[in-house]
Amino acid sequence: MGARDTGTEQLIKDTAKRVFFAEGKLHATTQDIADAAGVTRTLLHYYFRSRDILIEKVFREAMQELTARFDAVMGSDLLFKDKIERLIEVYLAEVTEFPYQETFLVTEMILDPSKYHDEDESKKIKKFLKEIKDEMDAGTIKSMDPLQFAINLFSLLTYPLLMAPLHKQMFGLTDSRYNKLIKARKQIIMDLLF
């Protein structure tokens, strides 16, 4: 068998990410993805053999990319408050482009809780929690269990995104209006946390 055309393989993965993360079609079939990529389903199966294999690759890459963005901010020399502000900016920019990525990742983790575990990431999380504790000890943020601070931060970021379809319908919001609300969250979150 000859060498695979990695450009086509990447096109299929990028299309799957767009379909899952940007369009929110979590139940898209391989035919849906092939059609969106402009390739045949046979060609998609040549590269990925099944929908499950494609989803696994998309999941792994999304987790790696998410982790890399988080690490780039949290591993920087910025002051803690500036790190949190930058993390919010990076996160909100990401979800503006891919509003259903979190839903996809959470859904995949529910289906297989052991799907993503990385010892190196566990160490980085412990370091992040220590930074939170140090800030609490210094009196710059309210004292609580550092996990509560982290959960508050990520809840304030992710909840409005996971609930976007319900919020839009319940409050009669257009996509444009909802996106403006999401963009305004950075300052709201900073004010709540600090």
Side-chain angles (χ1 to χ4, degrees), residues 12 21 27 30 47 54 64-65 77 87 93 103 105 108 112 126 149 151 154 163 168 190 193:
I12 294 168
F21 302 165
H27 298 291
T30 53
Y47 288 103
L54 175 58
Q64 289 168 350
E65 291 166 6
D77 292 333
L87 181 67
T103 303
L105 296 174
E108 288 303 303
D112 182 0
K126 286 179 183 174
F149 181 91
I151 289 170
F154 292 111
M163 298 301 290
K168 288 175 191 176
M190 290 299 292
L193 295 176

Side-chain angles (χ1 to χ4, degrees), residues 18-177:
R18 187 185 81 241
V19 168
F20 295 140
F21 302 165
E23 298 173 15
K25 297 176 183 173
L26 302 184
H27 298 291
T29 64
T30 53
Q31 186 65 59
D32 296 332
I33 295 165
D35 290 346
V39 300
T40 65
R41 190 170 67 174
T42 303
L43 189 58
L44 186 145
H45 283 278
Y46 170 75
Y47 288 103
F48 298 102
R49 297 181 208 241
S50 72
R51 183 179 185 275
D52 289 342
I53 292 170
L54 175 58
I55 285 177
E56 180 66 26
K57 286 197 182 260
V58 168
F59 174 84
R60 291 259 176 233
E61 285 185 14
M63 288 302 291
Q64 289 168 350
E65 291 166 6
L66 191 64
T67 299
R69 284 188 292 280
F70 180 80
D71 291 349
V73 173
M74 297 315 293
S76 71
D77 292 333
L78 294 171
L79 296 173
F80 181 77
K81 184 176 182 180
D82 296 334
K83 281 184 186 182
I84 298 300
E85 186 171 14
R86 181 69 186 131
L87 181 67
I88 293 168
E89 289 169 359
V90 167
Y91 186 87
L92 292 178
E94 178 76 14
V95 298
T96 299
E97 185 176 359
F98 298 118
Y100 299 98
Q101 179 174 306
E102 301 299 320
T103 303
F104 175 86
L105 296 174
V106 169
T107 300
E108 288 303 303
M109 290 176 141
I110 288 169
L111 294 172
D112 182 0
S114 66
K115 199 167 204 162
Y116 187 80
H117 180 74
D118 183 331
E119 281 302 317
D120 191 43
E121 287 310 308
S122 296
K123 291 176 187 173
K124 291 173 185 173
I125 295 296
K126 286 179 183 174
K127 182 178 182 256
F128 177 54
L129 294 173
K130 182 176 180 334
E131 283 185 73
I132 294 169
K133 176 76 168 101
D134 291 346
E135 291 297 314
M136 290 174 182
D137 292 345
T140 57
I141 54 178
K142 183 179 176 183
S143 186
M144 64 183 84
D145 182 331
L147 278 170
Q148 293 289 2
F149 181 91
I151 289 170
N152 284 343
L153 169 63
F154 292 111
S155 296
L156 290 165
L157 284 167
T158 59
Y159 180 80
L161 303 166
L162 294 173
M163 298 301 290
L166 179 63
H167 288 160
K168 288 175 191 176
Q169 185 176 7
M170 187 167 54
F171 300 119
L173 301 170
T174 63
D175 288 344
S176 175
R177 174 74 172 115

